[in-house]
Amino acid sequence: MFLRYEGAAWEQRFLPRLTSKQVNDLPKEEALVILSVGAVEQHGDHLPVMTDALIGEATLTQALEKIDADEQVWLLPPVSYGKSNEHLGWAGTISLSANTLHSVIMDIARSLKLSGFRRLLLFNTHGGNTDLLNVVAREIRIATGLMVFNMAPHSLNVSADLVSEEELEYGIHGGDYETSVVMAIKPNWVQEHLRTAEFPDVARYELLTLEGRIRFAWVTDDISESGIAGDATKATAEKGEIIQERVTDILAKAFVELSKFEIKDVKKGKAGRVPE
Ligand SMILES: [Zn+2]
């Protein structure tokens, strides 16, 4: 279960609960600021449109419980809306344009830089944001000099023994994985009796894949009748709890590691030359 504004994430690590002076006085040499970027978009008949934003907040709430109190890991208010134009026209979907989302994240990054921070993590819970965030992360690096990280908890590959092979390949939206997670973190927001299964039919192609090396551009109406891709009927809260436990174990370690990362140490210096 996940309770908003309770626990260490919100009581001890929520940056805007501090005063300006307190933020100013924080030790920022080894500090990480986390910005969750989610989405509000249709997730089939059984999941709330808040699903991606909800998973972001819940996962961070759970992960930040696992970090020692003296680590400098700070949480920003989330950007709940994402780039969801693949779902536009499905009621409840509220999308930012690529330009708007780019600008919002860049403005937040510039402000953090002016507050004295050095590291920003873009914590993404919506597949449709991924390409844009890859672009924005580098633009922030160039524009502000911040060290920028970019990740998605659903890409940590923790569910291979929990879901089917078909789900691993095609279960990208509202399927077993995502439904299990929401059943674990906010069970009363899932309409279990309306769960269904639908997989896009691309297995017949040898080289073309949905999200692999050779892709095609799609919107939800191209690939799904129900609005989902995956098998939500197999979802259970127990699976969701295992997924969250594994994901947050990794995240707790990752956040501390990132808070101490120094990009200047990456370049080793003179390249080895071919001997003459
Ligand atoms: Zn989702």
Side-chain angles (χ1 to χ4, degrees), residues 21-35:
K21 182 174 185 328
Q22 285 174 312
V23 174
N24 188 57
D25 293 347
L26 285 177
K28 303 186 186 71
E29 192 55 28
E30 292 192 342
L32 176 72
V33 179
I34 304 170
L35 178 66

Side-chain angles (χ1 to χ4, degrees), residues 64 81 83 104 112 264:
L64 294 183
Y81 303 104
K83 179 181 172 297
V104 166
L112 280 175
K264 66 174 168 47

Side-chain angles (χ1 to χ4, degrees), residues 54-270:
L54 177 73
I55 289 174
E57 280 191 48
T59 303
L60 289 170
T61 299
Q62 293 169 332
L64 294 183
E65 288 289 340
K66 299 184 174 181
I67 296 181
D68 289 345
D70 53 340
E71 300 293 347
Q72 292 296 315
V73 175
W74 292 96
L75 188 60
L76 288 176
V79 175
S80 296
Y81 303 104
K83 179 181 172 297
S84 298
N85 50 355
E86 70 272 32
H87 300 287
L88 275 178
W90 292 70
T93 298
I94 299 173
S95 177
L96 302 181
S97 70
N99 283 338
T100 301
L101 184 57
H102 184 131
S103 298
V104 166
I105 296 172
M106 179 61 82
D107 286 352
I108 291 169
R110 287 186 199 278
S111 306
L112 280 175
K113 170 77 177 180
L114 291 172
S115 295
F117 287 100
R118 303 178 63 218
R119 296 177 193 80
L120 171 64
L121 168 63
L122 305 177
F123 186 82
N124 174 36
T125 50
H126 167 46
N129 290 336
T130 307
D131 295 329
L132 178 75
L133 291 185
N134 285 330
V135 172
V136 175
R138 181 166 283 152
E139 295 299 312
I140 295 170
R141 171 79 192 133
I142 292 165
T144 68
L146 285 174
M147 291 176 264
V148 192
F149 313 96
N150 176 15
M151 67 153 298
H154 57 259
S155 300
L156 293 174
N157 299 327
V158 301
S159 62
D161 60 329
L162 301 174
V163 304
S164 70
E165 240 169 75
E166 198 177 24
E167 184 78 28
L168 284 175
E169 177 78 23
Y170 304 111
I172 59 166
H173 192 70
D176 188 357
Y177 180 101
E178 201 166 39
T179 304
S180 294
V181 170
V182 183
M183 285 169 78
I185 60 177
K186 203 72 182 165
N188 58 326
W189 286 17
V190 181
Q191 310 208 34
E192 289 190 29
H193 61 293
L194 295 177
R195 287 177 297 162
T196 169
E198 183 179 355
F199 287 98
D201 187 11
V202 286
R204 73 183 81 182
Y205 299 100
E206 197 186 326
L207 300 172
L208 195 63
T209 60
L210 202 54
E211 295 208 311
R213 287 175 296 177
I214 304 179
R215 310 175 180 200
F216 58 101
W218 53 265
V219 296
T220 304
D221 282 323
D222 295 324
I223 65 165
S224 176
E225 199 61 44
S226 61
I228 74 163
D231 186 352
T233 66
K234 295 213 176 79
T236 66
E238 291 71 32
K239 256 191 267 187
E241 268 156 34
I242 295 170
I243 289 170
Q244 288 304 90
E245 192 62 35
R246 292 176 182 175
V247 163
T248 53
D249 278 350
I250 297 171
L251 291 177
K253 275 194 208 138
F255 294 162
V256 172
E257 183 173 299
L258 300 185
S259 74
K260 300 171 196 317
F261 173 81
E262 287 293 350
I263 201 164
K264 66 174 168 47
D265 295 341
V266 173
K267 189 163 62 179
K268 281 170 120 177
K270 268 190 182 165

